Amino acid sequence: MKISILTLFPEMYENFLNSSIIGRSISRGIVDIELVNIRDFSKDKTKRVDDRPIGGGAGLIMKLEPLVAALRSVKTKESHIVLLAPTGKHYAHETACDYSSKKHLIIVCGHYEGIDFRFEKYVDEIVSIGDYVLTGGELASMVIVDSVVRLLPGAISEESTVDESFTDENLLEYPQYTFPIVFEGKSVPNILLTGNHEAVDYYHKKQAIKLTIERRPDLLKNRVWNEVERKMINEIKTGELSAIEKTALDNAARFLHKYKE
Ligand code: ADE
């Protein structure tokens, strides 16, 4: 996959593109990320890329000519062009999945008070990463690149993207734990120590439902619960354990205490 980022501030990407999973994905050839400095396409002697808003108003507006020239320098028939702006449609996991299947993604970062509105005619979609105004699209583009690249085959282990939040029909990911088993009196849940995979899977799904009900009930608005899930919800409400959890805990009772010593 290739991603071209059109920006006035390419220097903002230096650490981002050289670190962690993004840096590794670039060096492994999983993704090619190209930075295009919009200012390089200004025909103006002073390399000006903005001007006053026509009709009055505060701030400066990005001019069309350098933007369109920069876009044309990278656009091909296979390009999908995204303009970042707080007025765009909300970005979410589903969009990240969609972008990860594109051959060429072009991301255009706005700046200053905005972009000449006519530029919207040159793009496929306008996207916002949330209901707040950033000083420019650069941070938003990093959010998009990060969330897309980690979905590309080979970027991270496949299992990491299977169970995570938003992949199982809009459930948040279940809580996870690592060592030590007890820290400042706080223990990891006993069921995770039983070694019973069926019981652990059941518990994980129930915790994912519990967390989603508590934190993001909006994600569950159109969800139709199946029989097992309804049973889990009842157990969440009553605090009762399922037979499978009880059996796993009973069988492990002999050795569970050893973990906590
Ligand atoms: N540019 C400024 N604010 C933005 C936002 N919330 N999302 C995307 N691009 C932006």
Side-chain angles (χ1 to χ4, degrees):
M1 179 185 195
K2 181 174 174 178
I3 304 177
S4 306
I5 303 170
L6 274 57
T7 170
L8 286 170
F9 300 94
E11 66 277 7
M12 283 179 73
Y13 296 85
E14 217 165 279
N15 286 330
F16 173 64
L17 296 181
N18 286 314
S19 315
S20 185
I21 288 161
I22 304 302
R24 209 176 55 207
S25 301
I26 293 170
S27 53
R28 283 186 184 169
I30 291 166
V31 66
D32 173 19
I33 301 183
E34 165 188 46
L35 295 171
V36 180
N37 191 339
I38 299 164
R39 201 174 293 280
D40 291 343
F41 294 84
S42 169
K43 292 222 177 74
D44 199 283
K45 259 189 267 155
T46 56
K47 291 281 171 201
R48 190 153 182 200
V49 288
D50 51 37
D51 213 332
R52 289 168 294 126
I54 295 175
L60 293 166
I61 306 297
M62 281 173 77
K63 289 163 72 63
L64 276 175
E65 300 95 317
L67 271 170
V68 172
L71 181 60
R72 288 196 174 134
S73 76
V74 293
K75 185 181 166 181
T76 69
K77 281 202 190 86
E78 288 180 326
S79 307
H80 183 75
I81 307 164
V82 177
L83 170 63
L84 294 175
T87 53
K89 71 167 206 241
H90 273 181
Y91 184 72
H93 183 71
E94 211 186 345
T95 328
C97 292
D98 174 35
Y99 290 174
S100 70
S101 67
K102 306 277 184 210
K103 278 224 164 79
H104 184 208
L105 187 65
I106 301 179
I107 305 177
V108 185
C109 303
H111 234 278
Y112 307 119
E113 284 306 307
I115 282 186
D116 188 312
F117 194 67
R118 291 168 289 181
F119 187 67
E120 294 196 359
K121 291 263 185 298
Y122 295 81
V123 307
D124 295 310
E125 57 182 328
I126 303 140
V127 165
S128 161
I129 62 157
D131 287 340
Y132 38 80
V133 182
L134 300 165
T135 55
E138 282 73 16
L139 285 174
S141 74
M142 291 185 217
V143 168
I144 290 179
V145 169
D146 192 279
S147 55
V148 170
V149 170
R150 65 187 293 289
L151 295 175
L152 297 176
I156 54 174
S157 77
E158 300 271 309
E159 302 94 79
S160 306
T161 56
V162 170
D163 270 346
E164 67 190 6
S165 298
F166 311 113
T167 46
D168 170 22
E169 306 154 72
N170 264 357
L171 287 185
L172 297 181
E173 188 179 9
Y174 52 79
Q176 306 219 62
Y177 305 85
T178 186
F179 299 93
I181 287 169
V182 182
F183 180 74
E184 296 190 345
K186 296 169 194 69
S187 174
V188 309
N190 279 346
I191 194 87
L192 302 180
L193 305 169
T194 62
N196 181 324
H197 296 301
E198 211 188 333
V200 169
D201 286 350
Y202 185 92
Y203 177 81
H204 277 158
K205 172 88 185 238
K206 190 157 69 170
Q207 295 311 306
I209 292 175
K210 182 168 183 280
L211 207 62
T212 314
I213 290 173
E214 285 167 3
R215 296 193 184 170
R216 294 293 307 275
D218 56 300
L219 295 176
L220 304 171
K221 247 189 337 225
N222 300 319
R223 191 176 178 106
V224 181
W225 300 106
N226 66 32
E227 206 178 309
V228 177
E229 290 169 340
R230 280 203 300 273
K231 186 168 165 296
M232 287 174 172
I233 292 171
N234 192 45
E235 288 163 11
I236 292 166
K237 281 188 193 144
T238 60
E240 267 174 43
L241 293 180
S242 65
I244 177 180
E245 288 167 303
K246 271 191 215 143
T247 310
L249 288 168
D250 286 349
N251 290 342
R254 296 173 280 117
F255 60 81
L256 273 184
H257 67 276
K258 284 198 198 128
Y259 286 123
K260 315 234 170 157
E261 278 161 8

